[in-house]
Amino acid sequence: MTVFENLRERLVKAQQDHLLKFWDELSIEEQQQLCEDISELNFNELKTYYERATACLEENSGTLDDRIQPIPDSKLVSISRSSESTIEDYRQEGYRQISEGHVGVLLMAGGQGTRLGFPHPKGMYDVGLPSHKSLFRIQAERILKLQELAYETTGKHGYITWYIMTSEHTIEPTLDYFKANSFFGLKKENIKMFTQGSLPCFEFDGKIILDQKHRIARAPDGNGGIYRALRDQGVLDDMARRGVLYLHAHSVDNILTKVADPVFIGYCVQENADCAAKVVEKSHPSEAVGVVCVVDGKYQVVEYSEISAKTAELRNSDGRLTFSAGNICNHFFTAAFLNRIGSIYEKELKLHVAKKKIPFVDNSGKRITPEKPNGIKIEKFIFDVFEFAQKFVAMEVPRDEEFSALKNNDSVGKDCPLTSRRDLFRLHKKYIENAGGIVHGDVCEISPFLTYAGENLESLVRGKSFTSPVYLRSNQDPMNGHL
């Protein structure tokens, strides 16, 4: 039986034999590429995905008002409403775990900077700080500083392993960038990159879409694809070899991220949690952010569109919103929990469906970009594992200290380079003033080599006056910020 006949037999059985309709027009190389695309598909699994996905489309038409409850107070700690001694206790626990080598960071960095007008991985983006440091560099230097603080506290030197999830399109430029920058001073062996998975795009009738005559249309499987990737690309095995017990997971595009936050890790460890989320208090009832809550007794994130305005506006006796725990894609997982997800629950993750305008090849072989949605993309979300946790907790953190997303270009005026810079400047100005210094003006940056979260600045700034633009740097800082 020829290659074509083998393929056709498999595809007829899966009712996807239209994928071969241009076979005779393809070169040998193009036929090989199409064979590779098809060989990667598990048609039984994809059939189940499509059926579940279309069922989800029908289910998601109503609201969840009658089934939703806020996170119980016993499962939520608020930084702003906790004593400094409690926070310090969590921090010391976090330092201990870092010093033992038990902590890893899971960075979701698969996105391109397309919406920023930046044709490279978003982590390489320079938001315009005085230092001109990229998001990758800032986060790398926070890891270096945190390892130093943990050593100073415990007397034991442990390393934080940095697991970086890219996409198939961004892994090479990301790795090249890290090499060109000497891995930002981190040990090369403590940085592990792996790629996010993808899923084919479907027409509304379940047919897989051809992007080109010899290529299947595919899209990333969402940040929830991370669980399969961790399992299939050897990351969970790597964690076991290194003795990494806990992962702090977050996306690359939050310039205020406290990477491997010892307070968050210490809290989760002391609570014996296997899964946790950082949240920020919603700014107003209609803010377009998902809310961490309980639905039918299980923890999950409910999108703002899934509850009514009346429910969103509910308030407690203290005046705070009842459903206030805004999701910021910042999570804690134990290695044991991630192994359980990979081996048991990954196949049960919810599927999220988006109707999209997906370029396709028409019957004449011409590639068409449609003017209206012609198919669906299927994604999994990282937070959909919450319901499988044996013990889930959450930590509410101050938005102005820990969350400033970078999604758009400056013309949008929200979640853009301008707001990212402004939020970091405001926080760093507060660090200096809390340490006894004065800053005149608004442009203020402090190198991560000097402080992780505002600590140990008194000797540098107390009684001193600074005039904007301020950039407090260390002799460890590169002269030009980045290559």
Side-chain angles (χ1 to χ4, degrees):
M1 190 178 287
T2 66
V3 170
F4 174 81
E5 289 169 337
N6 267 324
L7 274 180
R8 188 173 184 281
E9 182 178 310
R10 185 178 172 218
L11 290 169
V12 166
K13 189 175 180 181
Q15 298 182 308
Q16 299 287 354
D17 50 305
H18 65 286
L19 297 175
L20 295 176
K21 62 184 172 184
F22 300 110
W23 181 266
D24 292 336
E25 301 174 29
L26 304 180
S27 66
I28 299 286
E29 292 78 13
E30 289 172 336
Q31 288 178 349
Q32 289 174 339
Q33 182 63 68
L34 184 58
C35 283
E36 287 178 23
D37 278 12
I38 292 170
S39 68
E40 292 172 0
L41 303 179
N42 179 332
F43 287 109
N44 289 332
E45 182 179 62
L46 290 175
K47 183 173 184 289
T48 302
Y49 275 8
Y50 174 77
E51 290 170 350
R52 286 176 56 206
T54 50
C56 285
L57 274 177
E58 296 170 8
E59 289 173 7
N60 291 342
S61 56
T63 63
L64 299 174
D65 294 50
D66 296 334
R67 300 159 51 200
I68 186 173
Q69 294 178 309
I71 303 173
D73 290 343
S74 61
K75 298 296 181 71
L76 175 68
V77 67
S78 168
I79 292 295
S80 63
R81 295 188 293 278
S82 296
S83 68
E84 182 50 47
S85 63
T86 297
I87 293 170
E88 185 59 28
D89 191 37
Y90 296 150
R91 184 180 290 114
Q92 293 298 317
E93 180 67 53
Y95 284 157
R96 283 192 290 273
Q97 298 300 335
I98 289 167
S99 294
E100 295 293 338
H102 292 165
V103 176
V105 170
L106 179 55
L107 179 65
M108 290 166 275
Q112 296 270 24
T114 309
R115 284 160 66 182
L116 298 166
F118 182 66
H120 305 289
K122 193 186 284 188
M124 293 167 56
Y125 189 70
D126 168 6
V127 302
L129 302 176
S131 67
H132 292 290
K133 292 178 180 179
S134 66
L135 294 169
F136 279 140
R137 180 176 286 280
I138 291 167
Q139 294 176 27
E141 291 177 359
R142 286 177 185 158
I143 290 174
L144 284 165
K145 183 61 176 178
L146 190 52
Q147 289 176 164
E148 178 187 305
L149 289 170
Y151 172 68
E152 289 174 358
T153 302
T154 67
K156 188 168 185 178
H157 221 317
Y159 293 104
I160 295 168
T161 307
W162 202 8
Y163 298 103
I164 301 174
M165 185 177 79
T166 71
S167 70
E168 60 179 328
H169 303 295
T170 60
I171 188 162
E172 285 191 21
T174 300
L175 183 57
D176 289 346
Y177 181 68
F178 271 67
K179 287 178 178 176
N181 285 276
S182 303
F183 297 89
F184 307 108
L186 292 164
K187 290 181 178 292
K188 177 183 176 181
E189 60 268 26
N190 291 333
I191 300 174
K192 297 290 182 183
M193 296 184 190
F194 63 104
T195 56
Q196 179 178 10
S198 63
L199 287 169
C201 304
F202 294 91
E203 295 179 44
F204 294 123
D205 63 0
K207 299 291 186 188
I208 293 171
I209 295 174
L210 277 175
D211 180 65
Q212 301 175 51
K213 292 179 182 181
H214 67 293
R215 297 305 309 260
I216 287 171
R218 304 181 72 100
D221 57 1
N223 54 24
I226 205 163
Y227 302 109
R228 175 175 289 208
L230 289 172
R231 180 193 68 198
D232 293 350
Q233 297 194 43
V235 176
L236 295 179
D237 292 337
D238 184 81
M239 290 171 62
R241 283 193 299 272
R242 293 171 183 268
V244 174
L245 303 180
Y246 312 111
L247 277 189
H248 182 198
H250 59 85
S251 55
V252 73
D253 56 7
N254 174 11
I255 198 169
L256 300 186
T257 296
K258 289 185 175 178
V259 186
D261 179 10
V263 175
F264 186 41
I265 289 163
Y267 165 64
C268 294
V269 170
Q270 289 193 3
E271 287 292 316
N272 199 29
D274 53 2
C275 177
K278 275 192 181 186
V279 298
V280 296
E281 188 171 0
K282 283 184 67 172
S283 59
H284 53 87
S286 58
E287 183 182 6
V289 62
V291 175
V292 182
C293 55
V294 181
V295 178
D296 298 333
K298 295 179 179 179
Y299 289 94
Q300 69 175 68
V301 173
V302 170
E303 296 301 332
Y304 61 96
S305 58
E306 294 179 290
I307 56 175
S308 68
K310 183 179 178 181
T311 297
E313 290 166 2
L314 290 174
R315 293 186 181 271
N316 301 333
S317 57
D318 60 3
R320 297 175 63 246
L321 290 171
T322 300
F323 296 100
S324 65
N327 178 49
I328 59 172
C329 194
N330 194 311
H331 309 302
F332 166 93
F333 306 109
T334 65
F337 178 71
L338 291 170
N339 275 285
R340 202 158 66 245
I341 295 298
S343 61
I344 302 172
Y345 297 115
E346 193 278 333
K347 58 183 176 291
E348 297 179 26
L349 286 183
K350 292 176 186 172
L351 300 176
H352 299 264
V353 185
K355 295 180 181 180
K356 295 285 187 178
K357 302 171 192 173
I358 304 167
F360 68 98
V361 178
D362 67 11
N363 288 328
S364 69
K366 183 180 178 183
R367 192 172 189 268
I368 306 292
T369 300
E371 295 181 0
K372 60 181 182 180
N374 64 314
I376 61 172
K377 293 182 178 180
I378 300 174
E379 289 185 311
K380 303 171 187 176
F381 291 165
I382 190 168
F383 52 69
D384 282 329
V385 297
F386 292 177
E387 65 174 287
F388 304 118
Q390 293 175 352
K391 184 168 186 184
F392 177 87
V393 296
M395 173 177 278
E396 183 188 276
V397 297
R399 184 188 296 248
D400 65 340
E401 295 184 7
E402 298 210 30
F403 185 59
S404 181
L406 179 64
K407 306 287 185 186
N408 310 306
N409 61 46
D410 279 339
S411 65
V412 178
K414 178 185 176 186
D415 296 340
C416 60
L418 177 66
T419 55
S420 291
R421 287 195 304 274
R422 183 193 67 201
D423 292 343
L424 182 133
F425 292 158
R426 186 187 296 128
L427 177 62
H428 286 192
K429 181 176 179 178
K430 183 167 78 170
Y431 285 166
I432 291 175
E433 291 175 343
N434 287 347
I438 298 172
V439 178
H440 300 283
D442 297 322
V443 177
C444 182
E445 180 187 3
I446 307 172
S447 167
F449 288 121
L450 294 178
T451 190
Y452 174 81
E455 75 291 322
N456 300 334
L457 289 175
E458 287 82 359
S459 61
L460 289 173
V461 306
R462 182 172 295 281
K464 295 181 181 179
S465 179
F466 302 87
T467 301
S468 173
V470 179
Y471 174 35
L472 299 187
R473 54 180 295 160
S474 159
N475 56 14
Q476 294 172 267
D477 281 298
M479 291 301 294
N480 62 346
H482 71 298
L483 296 178

